Amino acid sequence: MKKTIVDYNLSNKKVIIRCDLNVPIENGVITDDNRIVQSVETIKYAVDAGAKVIVLSHLGRVKNEEDKKDNTLLPVSKRLSELLELPVIFVPCTRGKKVQDAVNNMKSGEVVLLENTRFEDIDGKKESGNDEELGKYWASLGDIFINDAFGTAHRAHASNVGIASILPNGIGFLVKKELDTLGEAINNPNRPFVIILGGKKVSDKIAVIENAVKIADYVLIGGGMSYTFFKAFGYEVGQSIVDNDSIEFCKRIYEENKDKIILPVDIVTGTAVVPNTTTRLTDSKNIGENEMGLDIGVATVNNFKKILLNAKTVIWNGPVGVFELEKFANGTKKLCEILANLRAKVIIGGGDSAAAAIKFGYKEKFTHISTGGGASLEMLEGKELPGIKVISEK
Ligand code: ADP
Ligand code: MG
């Protein structure tokens, strides 16, 4: 068992908490504050325990000076302050005198948020490359390190692995909840256990199938994942998205797991990913040369439903169609409805799948919506997450 924040006496200690406050921001306005909301419990616990709390997080990708203004954590510090009902002292840099002064002046129960850790990526990818000197510097600011950023746990960055390799460390409540819920589902599921894979990051997700067929009773495949299989079978896939490097893999894995891997039997096609495109319902073998598959059809929804009605554990990662467009939303909408009404443990991983569940009004109906799409996929792949591996055992 990993050490957690409750294993430490935090009183008067400088506690660095790595959160995942990487929320979508449009024109300076936060459009979904879920990750901030989910981070509050651990920060609040440390505040109440009398710690001096130093919060670190990344936001978006920062490649050059230009990217800085769209990726400042300033709006996040305001929202965090509202949710904590406490002032949050925002330091607009990631190192230097301002950081030192802010940390030195902290009193017990105060919260400081440093600027986006990825500002350190401009000069030689120091954050994302886990630069040793940067990890040491951040570690020098605190006494204890708590990793509560599940969304980056699959990456070895200076702000998680770097600091954790130096300071006494543990995980926060959010990471614990994620590891327990996902870990239980993956390692000790009530069966039948069904994994649903969709979305468009096909090359990332194909690797998951290899482990999914080992641990699950059924693997339902929809969305952009389907067409690489269809191409492997020699079907016409038209303009649908395909991962050409994975065709042989799909052929083999399907051959070996015909009873487990359930693919769409019908598809809703369009001629472009635009709202007013002409659509057509076709069986999976007859996609036109100029068409692209953009949703699963009703027969597929029914096939999926038959399997899901018996399921006791479900993990869903990736929408089964381009649900953002009305014409291709039906499959994902129906899938949400089916999942919401199951008497099973249902876990959603993946930012867009969570967005779909929220859009269609089912947010409260699931056992767990993960804050880390990539991290939950790596757990499904059977990999150990570097951000967690580095944390001490009890
Ligand atoms: P998640 O964030 O849940 O892990 P992804 O990021 O992999 O999911 O993919 C989400 C996106 O996949 C959605 O924006 C959706 O429009 C797109 N998508 C789903 N099905 C298809 C398809 N058949 N063709 C192209 N894009 C698709
Ligand atoms: Mg996504």
Side-chain angles (χ1 to χ4, degrees):
M1 283 255 278
K2 293 290 173 184
K3 278 199 171 165
T4 78
I5 190 166
V6 303
D7 295 317
Y8 290 95
N9 177 359
L10 306 181
S11 178
N12 259 313
K13 296 276 169 36
K14 288 188 199 131
V15 180
I16 301 173
I17 306 181
R18 174 57 159 100
C19 294
D20 176 4
L21 306 175
N22 182 29
V23 291
I25 298 180
E26 278 164 32
N27 302 317
V29 179
I30 296 166
T31 52
D32 173 9
D33 67 357
N34 181 47
R35 282 178 165 161
I36 310 177
V37 172
Q38 301 283 333
S39 299
V40 164
E41 188 183 1
T42 301
I43 299 173
K44 191 125 193 131
Y45 174 87
V47 166
D48 291 344
K52 301 170 181 176
V53 184
I54 303 160
V55 179
L56 292 180
S57 176
H58 73 289
L59 180 71
R61 289 219 166 85
V62 185
K63 293 197 181 109
N64 49 49
E65 289 292 327
E66 260 297 282
D67 292 338
K68 280 186 169 179
K69 69 176 189 315
D70 290 334
N71 289 293
T72 170
L73 281 172
L74 181 62
V76 171
S77 77
K78 291 180 181 154
R79 185 71 190 123
L80 180 62
S81 170
E82 287 167 9
L83 291 165
L84 286 168
E85 300 175 332
L86 283 172
V88 169
I89 302 158
F90 178 67
V91 184
C93 34
T94 47
R95 64 166 93 202
K97 184 164 184 322
K98 277 187 191 158
V99 171
Q100 220 58 54
D101 288 349
V103 169
N104 290 341
N105 292 329
M106 284 182 91
K107 293 186 196 66
S108 153
E110 285 187 346
V111 181
V112 159
L113 172 66
L114 301 193
E115 185 53 285
N116 186 353
T117 54
R118 287 200 182 154
F119 280 22
E120 291 285 346
D121 275 352
I122 294 178
D123 178 19
K125 288 228 160 227
K126 292 203 166 76
E127 156 72 329
S128 300
N130 189 11
D131 177 74
E132 204 182 321
E133 180 267 336
L134 180 59
K136 266 190 197 156
Y137 168 69
W138 278 333
S140 75
L141 302 173
D143 304 309
I144 296 166
F145 175 72
I146 298 299
N147 189 359
D148 209 26
F150 184 69
T152 39
H154 59 311
R155 302 273 181 251
H157 289 175
S159 65
N160 59 355
V161 172
I163 308 176
S165 345
I166 297 165
L167 288 181
N169 56 52
I171 53 174
F173 296 113
L174 174 58
V175 164
K176 175 139 179 60
K177 184 170 81 181
E178 295 271 12
L179 293 178
D180 287 354
T181 320
L182 278 159
E184 168 87 12
I186 292 168
N187 301 319
N188 193 19
N190 288 329
R191 293 184 182 276
F193 172 27
V194 181
I195 296 176
I196 309 166
L197 293 172
K200 66 171 174 214
K201 286 184 225 143
V202 179
S203 54
D204 285 2
K205 295 187 184 185
I206 283 256
V208 176
I209 300 174
E210 183 103 66
N211 199 45
V213 292
K214 290 192 192 124
I215 60 178
D217 300 292
Y218 290 100
V219 180
L220 312 183
I221 293 180
M225 307 285 294
S226 323
Y227 308 96
T228 307
F229 281 91
F230 294 163
K231 191 156 180 190
F233 303 157
Y235 302 173
E236 174 65 58
V237 295
Q239 308 300 309
S240 311
I241 56 172
V242 167
D243 177 19
N244 281 313
D245 294 336
S246 299
I247 291 173
E248 285 309 311
F249 168 83
C250 288
K251 209 181 267 178
R252 170 180 67 77
I253 203 88
Y254 186 77
E255 236 0 87
E256 291 169 3
N257 298 278
K258 274 191 186 127
D259 301 331
K260 256 189 192 179
I261 297 177
I262 311 296
L263 288 158
V265 290
D266 59 346
I267 292 291
V268 181
T269 65
T271 48
V273 190
V274 291
N276 61 355
T277 183
T278 310
T279 66
R280 190 171 75 90
L281 178 67
T282 170
D283 67 83
S284 304
K285 290 182 183 159
N286 289 303
I287 295 173
E289 254 175 64
N290 298 316
E291 294 177 323
M292 46 178 93
L294 296 172
D295 195 12
I296 56 173
V298 283
T300 304
V301 170
N302 283 331
N303 285 349
F304 284 7
K305 186 174 180 175
K306 271 182 220 143
I307 291 168
L308 287 167
L309 285 179
N310 293 318
K312 293 276 186 320
T313 307
V314 182
I315 297 182
W316 172 35
N317 187 301
V320 291
V322 180
F323 72 96
E324 296 90 340
L325 300 181
E326 186 60 38
K327 288 184 170 177
F328 308 107
N330 186 60
T332 304
K333 201 189 271 180
K334 284 274 157 32
L335 179 64
C336 283
E337 189 185 310
I338 296 163
L339 293 176
N341 289 305
L342 294 182
R343 248 186 255 131
K345 184 188 262 191
V346 179
I347 297 172
I348 301 183
D352 292 289
S353 314
I358 293 165
K359 177 174 176 178
F360 300 130
Y362 295 107
K363 186 181 176 182
E364 311 301 334
K365 291 281 191 178
F366 303 104
T367 311
H368 182 63
I369 298 184
S370 176
T371 54
S376 61
L377 276 177
E378 294 211 358
M379 282 180 74
L380 271 181
E381 261 184 75
K383 287 190 185 157
E384 197 173 9
L385 308 175
I388 307 304
K389 188 176 178 195
V390 69
I391 301 294
S392 316
E393 297 288 330
K394 278 196 201 196

